[in-house]
Amino acid sequence: MTSRSSVTSLRGGAIDAIRTTDIDEKTTLAQETAKRWFRRTLSLRSPLDAPLPERPGRPDKPELIAPTQVEKRSLHTVKGRIALLHAIAHIELNAVDLALDIVARFATEPVPNSFFDGWMQVAFEEAKHFRMVRARLRDLDADYGDLPAHDGLWQAAHSTRNNLTARLAVVPLILEARGLDVTPSLQAKMRESGDLESAAVLDVIYNDEKGHVAIGAKWFRFLCSREKRDPARTFHELVRANFRGPLKPPFNDIARAEAGLTPSFYRSLISTSNA
Ligand SMILES: [Fe+2]
Ligand SMILES: [Fe+2]
């Protein structure tokens, strides 16, 4: 952990965490940087900050394949549960880098410091999620890296690298909100198959993710009001321009609404993005 002590800024800490290929170091750096930022012992930026890399550092494994090549999994077998936990671990690791990327990439935006508080809270929790899911994999005699994974999340974020409002539309309000739709049924299946430990991990993730969508919705609305734009209409425009995947019902309308994401945002996108 050579870089930890030398960094004096939030952006520098976030970039170091993004750059490292060591996943233990990445999650540790993400959480240490968050703690130091919350203790107000870091500046926002420093001229000494390393450049933000094009892609986050990742270990040699898992092998990255096209999203269409990822095998479907049944949760009735241990193998199936391992495959699902592996896919979730990969999502959580991406989520660590994506939260840190919002902080590092947009550290020069004219936003209050509480904006960075929100995303460092997210980064901290994504690192926690990754560790919890990885611990479950190890309980099942598996580990992160054993199976291939896909690069769809990072690619989805890449097109919004120059526009913070678009980034918030795609990452928290499309990708993380999708987690709210699918997690309850995965939890139920884990319980049915008797894997209560994994169900409990998913419960922690689900509750934290509501907060992540809420942080996304809050700052998305903040940016829209600053630019005097209608939030729902702006969301439609940005999603159509920057997100290729479909928006798949059923939606978890209650959890989405609790997070501030009302149906006026996503309902009208269903047909157009499936067309
Ligand atoms: Fe997460
Ligand atoms: Fe999240």
Side-chain angles (χ1 to χ4, degrees), residues 92 95 122 125-126 129 176 205 208-210 212-213:
E92 301 297 347
V122 173
E125 288 173 353
E126 304 298 12
H129 297 167
E176 294 196 283
I205 292 176
D208 287 347
E209 293 301 333
K210 278 189 211 167
H212 301 181
V213 177

Side-chain angles (χ1 to χ4, degrees), residues 16-262:
D16 279 0
I18 293 169
R19 284 161 68 104
T20 182
T21 57
D22 181 311
I23 47 181
D24 289 323
E25 185 173 317
K26 186 186 291 289
T27 48
T28 301
L29 275 173
Q31 294 196 326
E32 288 289 317
T33 304
K35 284 187 207 155
R36 291 176 67 194
W37 172 251
F38 288 126
R39 285 199 299 267
R40 301 295 183 239
T41 58
L42 291 174
S43 63
L44 178 56
R45 307 181 295 265
S46 156
L48 302 175
D49 294 343
L52 181 63
E54 266 287 298
R55 292 186 55 80
R58 288 295 166 79
D60 294 339
K61 289 194 158 194
E63 180 197 351
L64 295 180
I65 56 175
T68 47
Q69 284 180 279
V70 176
E71 276 178 57
K72 288 268 171 217
R73 48 213 172 228
S74 151
L75 295 185
H76 298 298
T77 62
V78 178
K79 245 182 144 183
R81 279 186 285 130
I82 288 172
L84 176 69
L85 290 166
H86 193 279
I88 295 172
H90 187 67
I91 289 169
E92 301 297 347
L93 190 65
N94 270 278
V96 174
D97 284 319
L98 288 169
L100 294 170
D101 189 81
I102 289 175
V103 169
R105 186 175 299 277
F106 300 105
T108 52
E109 286 277 326
V111 286
N113 271 357
S114 52
F115 173 88
F116 300 102
D117 293 350
W119 296 109
M120 288 314 292
Q121 178 73 30
V122 173
F124 186 96
E125 288 173 353
E126 304 298 12
K128 178 184 78 179
H129 297 167
F130 176 76
R131 293 218 191 104
M132 291 172 83
V133 178
R134 190 182 192 195
R136 275 309 292 150
L137 280 171
R138 287 174 163 173
D139 289 344
L140 299 171
D141 292 324
D143 202 356
Y144 180 66
D146 286 355
L147 298 169
H150 72 75
D151 202 30
L153 284 180
W154 189 259
Q155 284 169 10
H158 188 71
S159 68
T160 59
R161 64 196 176 282
N162 297 318
N163 182 336
L164 176 58
T165 316
R167 172 61 64 89
L168 297 188
V170 170
V171 172
L173 300 186
I174 293 281
L175 300 176
E176 294 196 283
R178 177 85 190 132
L180 299 184
D181 302 335
V182 299
T183 307
S185 71
L186 295 177
Q187 271 178 290
K189 282 178 194 155
M190 285 290 187
R191 265 191 227 105
E192 276 165 33
S193 65
D195 189 343
L196 300 183
E197 291 92 342
S198 295
V201 169
L202 289 178
D203 207 40
V204 172
I205 292 176
Y206 179 66
N207 284 309
D208 287 347
E209 293 301 333
K210 278 189 211 167
H212 301 181
V213 177
I215 289 167
K218 171 185 159 180
W219 290 108
F220 183 82
R221 288 176 189 276
F222 171 90
L223 294 173
C224 287
S225 87
R226 198 179 64 185
E227 294 161 17
K228 301 198 167 40
R229 298 167 80 184
D230 176 72
R233 197 182 314 144
T234 305
F235 182 75
H236 300 156
E237 288 165 11
L238 291 174
V239 171
R240 287 193 185 114
N242 294 290
F243 186 72
R244 270 183 236 111
L247 255 70
K248 289 182 221 149
F251 299 111
N252 186 341
D253 289 323
I254 293 171
R256 283 169 169 255
E258 277 172 9
L261 192 59
T262 45

